[in-house]
Amino acid sequence: MLADLKRVTKELPEIQRKALEVTGTAWSDDRTVKAVVGPRGHLIELEIDPRVYRKPNSKELAATIVATVRKAIEESARQAQEIYDEALPSDMRAARAGGMDINKLIQSHDADIRRQGDDDG
């Protein structure tokens, strides 16, 4: 295990570099919205097909954008998790799996926290 830990420590700069290059891309179900997010889930590109202006519906468009960005964030998180999983020794992956659900935390969205707060009040 010590050898694995030394290997991971040595490879850490490369792991971080790969993780920082991750982008997540998603399309809306109707293919009118494309979202690209960076490694921390920040929106870096948004494309909206001009067809959405034929029947303008701002609430529907906003909901589509949010849903598409969330899918892009999930994709980015999945890619980052693959990078980390490849680097971790298998016994450490098993220990991580038994603890907090990292994927759920990474894929959660601020809107989920707001909704939970509304439910509590």
Side-chain angles (χ1 to χ4, degrees):
M1 184 163 160
L2 186 56
D4 285 335
L5 189 55
K6 285 181 181 180
R7 179 188 57 81
V8 170
T9 303
K10 181 180 176 186
E11 294 174 358
L12 192 56
E14 180 64 14
I15 295 166
Q16 288 176 326
R17 184 194 62 75
K18 285 181 181 179
L20 289 173
E21 291 177 352
V22 166
T23 59
T25 301
W27 286 90
S28 61
D29 293 339
D30 62 2
R31 309 284 293 171
T32 59
V33 175
K34 175 186 172 189
V36 180
V37 300
R40 295 184 300 158
H42 295 169
L43 185 63
I44 56 176
E45 184 180 327
L46 180 67
E47 291 181 23
I48 301 173
D49 190 298
R51 292 178 292 160
V52 302
Y53 301 113
R54 291 180 188 157
K55 294 181 183 177
N57 182 334
S58 62
K59 287 186 179 191
E60 183 179 323
L61 178 58
T64 299
I65 290 170
V66 169
T68 305
V69 170
R70 290 181 82 172
K71 286 196 294 189
I73 291 168
E74 290 171 4
E75 173 60 20
S76 177
R78 184 195 61 74
Q79 290 178 36
Q81 191 64 57
E82 282 182 7
I83 291 167
Y84 298 130
D85 283 346
E86 288 175 11
L88 286 175
S90 59
D91 55 338
M92 290 181 78
R93 275 184 248 146
R96 180 185 55 79
M100 181 173 50
D101 186 349
I102 301 293
N103 289 328
K104 186 175 181 182
L105 177 65
I106 291 171
Q107 293 174 4
S108 66
H109 189 275
D110 292 344
D112 295 330
I113 296 169
R114 271 191 17 211
R115 253 192 308 274
Q116 287 174 357
D118 292 344
D119 292 344
D120 295 341

